[in-house]
Amino acid sequence: MQASSALRGIGRVGILAGVIAFAAPAAAAAPQDTTPTEIAASAAIESVTLYPGRASVTRVARPALKPGLWLLRFDDLPPTIQPDTLEARTSSGRVLAVDFSSRPTADRSGTPEAKALDAEIKTLESKIALNADAAAALESERKLIDMVTLRTGNDATKEGGTDKLDLAVLDRQMTWVREQRARVGTKLRELSLERDELGRQLDAARARRAELGGGRTTQGADVLVALTEAGTPEIELTYLVRNAGWQPVYAVRAMPAAGTASVDYEALITQATGENWTEVALTLSTAQPTKAATPPSVDPWSVDVWVPPPVSIAAEAGSADRVYSKARRGTAAAPGAPEPMVLAMADASAADARAAELAERFSADASVGGDGPAMNFSIVRPVSAPSDAALRTRARIATVEGPATFVYQTQPLVTEGAFLRGAIVNGSAYQMLPGRATIFVGADYIGSADFAGAAPKQSFDVFFGTDPSVTVKRELLGRDQAQSGLFGGGLDTTWNYRGSIINGTGREISIEWIDRMPVSRSDKIQVSLPQSSAPLSTNAAYVASDKPRGILRWDLKVPPSAAGAQPFTLTWKVLLSRSKDIETTPLPEN
């Protein structure tokens, strides 16, 4: 296929630069052939950088080329490509132009291959129809068996307790019913499996037939390369595609007895770009490649007297069919320009690598990088992700392990149980992004929760549900009301509480017991905590925020001996005082 006129024009720009750079210093040079040699580039996808909602895909071709001009065709680019993002590089020579193209496919509907596929499709459709007829017949037979079963049951009910009931006959009838049910069920299952397989074969045959039908257009890229010496250069084509993205997911495991926790940091990958990614070098990025890197400017706003515009006589119409064309960002490379950077590709499938070495290498955490606000995670293990919106592929980023501080939090006034909370430090160099976390205690699954994320070295809290080995109970021992003050002019209401904790973990545990007492909004009503078997918490955040709101918090150490009939006990008393003539809003019953 001949290169387009627009592309040949760009090729001439490149060859003129080459003539200037390489021609002998003669007064006149011999005419040069500026038509490049066109070849199809066999280029597999080798690396992908995945952004939220986009992906940068790099294909690499390694053709054996002689000196001269070469036009490499990269065919079958996906329909989700963003053409204006096309970029090419070569490890030797110069890239003179990169051009996007759409080509109609050849119509091969009359070939023997197409006729054979037509016959295959017709045969498969007939088999599927016969399968459906057989299944319908079996369904009718099953309804008949159901009627026989119902009739047998009715007859047995009517004749029950009489001489007419023949148990041997009834047993033979029921045995026949069971056998027929089993036979029909087995046949229906076999037909269902056969129908599924025939459907898969039909879909595949129709897809192959569609490839031969013509009328389609394929998208591609033409890369014009100038080489001054023979070799096998690496020619890379990079482009952005839509319908791809990733989101962080976590598995958080607590080991309270050991005082440790681990966080498995993974990426959930989705892509429906139209091309499969097979064993690619994957980089996850938090950047947004489709957003502007600089803020927009504010345009001035002027006002004037409105004048009607003149009637337009003609308008220049038409636009170039070619979407994007460039030669190293618009011009041919000048003589003496620096060589393009060679992309270093990791050969993860080296033939001489041993399985143990591969396993150790692929078990390593991702390397982290990035400049400014964006973070990049380079996944060590090659990743495969088919183009299927219904599939989710997981890629491991890192596992963060380390010590954790565990505390039980209980508020038996509103809910039962003691909730285990772990304070975990992100001891890695990884920015943990907000995402969804699956929670485990040891090997036991607890549930899932939203994770707010954590910066490197930052501590974060995770709740691990209730621990059945820790039992808490809150009791109101009594509510008393008595006169107080000189001549009995005051009225005191007293609540006496007791809390008990049974520690079945076998180790000392820390518990935050949270309760409440009334908060007075009038200087005529006084509320106090005159008695408590343990001091209230001195935690700075609690003292500043919750304590003024009447929230009570005790930070308790419960020994392993607080078990069975000897629980750990917490008691406290709340006192509310006011004049007898003061009527308060409703007071808590418990």
Side-chain angles (χ1 to χ4, degrees):
M1 185 179 116
Q2 293 296 323
S4 66
S5 59
L7 186 57
R8 287 200 300 271
I10 295 172
R12 291 191 185 100
V13 172
I15 200 66
L16 287 175
V19 169
I20 295 172
F22 304 117
Q32 299 286 329
D33 183 8
T34 61
T35 302
T37 303
E38 185 175 341
I39 61 172
S42 177
I45 297 174
E46 295 196 1
S47 63
V48 174
T49 299
L50 195 55
Y51 305 98
R54 296 287 188 274
S56 176
V57 177
T58 298
R59 298 188 181 197
V60 182
R62 298 176 178 85
L65 303 177
K66 296 179 180 180
L69 286 179
W70 295 90
L71 182 66
L72 278 74
R73 293 199 326 269
F74 289 77
D75 294 322
D76 295 324
L77 298 184
T80 55
I81 189 174
Q82 295 180 262
D84 58 343
T85 63
L86 282 169
E87 185 177 7
R89 289 179 295 224
T90 179
S91 60
S92 62
R94 293 280 191 273
V95 173
L96 303 183
V98 184
D99 195 66
F100 181 73
S101 63
S102 294
R103 301 183 178 90
T105 58
D107 188 354
R108 293 182 288 167
S109 56
T111 62
E113 182 183 1
K115 293 178 180 179
L117 282 172
D118 288 338
E120 181 182 351
I121 290 171
K122 188 174 181 179
T123 300
L124 289 170
E125 289 174 341
S126 298
K127 289 182 178 180
I128 291 174
L130 290 173
N131 180 288
D133 291 342
L138 285 170
E139 288 291 351
S140 299
E141 190 173 347
R142 182 157 64 179
K143 291 180 180 178
L144 178 62
I145 296 170
D146 291 341
M147 293 175 62
V148 172
T149 304
L150 181 62
R151 177 63 181 273
T152 301
N154 290 337
D155 292 345
T157 301
K158 292 177 181 178
E159 297 172 356
T162 68
D163 295 337
K164 294 182 179 180
L165 181 61
D166 190 333
L167 294 178
V169 173
L170 178 62
D171 181 65
R172 287 196 299 273
Q173 290 175 338
M174 297 308 297
T175 300
W176 179 87
V177 166
R178 287 194 297 271
E179 291 174 350
Q180 296 305 309
R181 280 183 178 277
R183 178 183 62 81
V184 170
T186 300
K187 287 288 187 181
L188 285 172
R189 286 191 294 273
E190 291 174 352
L191 287 174
S192 178
L193 293 174
E194 180 187 67
R195 185 164 58 251
D196 291 343
E197 178 59 29
L198 289 172
R200 284 191 290 270
Q201 294 178 13
L202 181 60
D203 290 341
R206 285 173 173 170
R208 295 197 304 273
R209 182 62 181 83
E211 294 290 332
L212 303 178
R216 286 192 314 117
T217 59
T218 61
Q219 300 182 115
D222 297 329
V223 179
L224 184 62
V225 178
L227 293 180
T228 59
E229 58 183 21
T232 308
E234 287 191 349
I235 301 173
E236 302 170 5
L237 181 72
T238 301
Y239 49 87
L240 280 180
V241 289
R242 303 181 303 275
N243 298 349
W246 71 282
Q247 58 185 11
V249 291
Y250 303 87
V252 184
R253 287 179 172 81
M255 282 70 73
T260 61
S262 67
V263 179
D264 291 332
Y265 189 3
E266 296 181 326
L268 198 60
I269 299 167
T270 56
Q271 73 110 334
T273 62
E275 58 185 0
N276 296 326
W277 302 339
T278 304
E279 296 292 302
V280 300
L282 180 66
T283 298
L284 306 171
S285 178
T286 61
Q288 294 282 1
T290 59
K291 293 186 176 180
T294 58
S297 60
V298 177
D299 295 328
W301 186 0
S302 59
V303 64
D304 200 348
V305 177
W306 180 76
V307 178
V311 178
S312 175
I313 297 175
E316 185 177 356
S319 60
D321 292 335
R322 195 162 303 280
V323 177
Y324 187 70
S325 181
K326 61 183 178 179
R328 299 298 291 171
R329 293 294 183 188
T331 59
E339 291 291 336
M341 182 182 297
V342 180
L343 182 66
M345 303 299 293
D347 184 9
S349 58
D352 58 345
R354 294 178 301 163
E357 292 174 335
L358 284 176
E360 182 178 0
R361 184 192 313 166
F362 294 159
S363 298
D365 293 343
S367 59
V368 61
D371 297 324
M375 297 290 294
N376 296 329
F377 303 102
S378 298
I379 307 302
V380 175
R381 180 181 62 86
V383 176
S384 296
S387 177
D388 188 340
L391 293 179
R392 301 291 186 271
T393 303
R394 286 180 179 263
R396 177 181 170 275
I397 297 176
T399 297
V400 180
E401 298 177 334
T405 302
F406 293 99
V407 175
Y408 289 92
Q409 185 183 97
T410 183
Q411 42 268 338
L413 175 65
V414 292
T415 184
E416 296 180 353
F419 291 79
L420 180 64
R421 186 185 72 227
I424 306 171
V425 176
N426 178 11
S428 72
Y430 300 90
Q431 174 73 36
M432 293 184 176
L433 304 171
R436 195 69 178 166
T438 306
I439 310 299
F440 298 86
V441 174
D444 297 329
Y445 170 74
I446 303 300
S448 60
D450 291 328
F451 176 52
K457 313 306 179 185
Q458 179 184 353
S459 176
F460 58 94
D461 290 342
V462 178
F463 277 96
F464 295 91
T466 58
D467 188 343
S469 62
V470 180
T471 305
V472 297
K473 183 179 180 181
R474 177 185 186 273
E475 300 174 274
L476 175 61
L477 300 179
R479 174 179 169 178
D480 304 320
Q481 189 163 289
Q483 294 182 356
S484 64
L486 188 63
F487 308 114
L491 191 63
D492 289 348
T493 302
T494 306
W495 292 266
N496 290 287
Y497 296 99
R498 179 174 64 196
S500 58
I501 303 170
I502 296 177
N503 178 10
T505 65
R507 65 183 186 279
E508 182 182 74
I509 59 175
S510 300
I511 285 191
E512 293 176 5
W513 185 293
I514 298 176
D515 216 282
R516 71 180 179 188
M517 69 180 189
V519 177
S520 174
R521 298 190 179 277
S522 170
D523 56 3
K524 298 178 180 180
I525 303 172
Q526 303 296 322
V527 182
S528 62
L529 188 73
Q531 180 182 327
S532 175
S533 61
L536 290 178
S537 173
T538 58
N539 178 270
Y542 161 71
V543 172
S545 176
D546 289 339
K547 190 175 182 180
R549 299 188 298 117
I551 303 300
L552 305 177
R553 170 178 158 180
W554 290 272
D555 295 340
L556 308 173
K557 294 290 187 181
V558 181
S561 58
Q566 296 179 333
F568 181 94
T569 302
L570 171 69
T571 60
W572 71 97
K573 180 184 293 187
V574 176
L575 174 64
L576 186 147
S577 304
R578 75 276 193 195
S579 299
K580 286 196 298 184
D581 57 347
I582 296 296
E583 183 176 356
T584 69
T585 55
L587 298 176
E589 294 295 331
N590 60 352

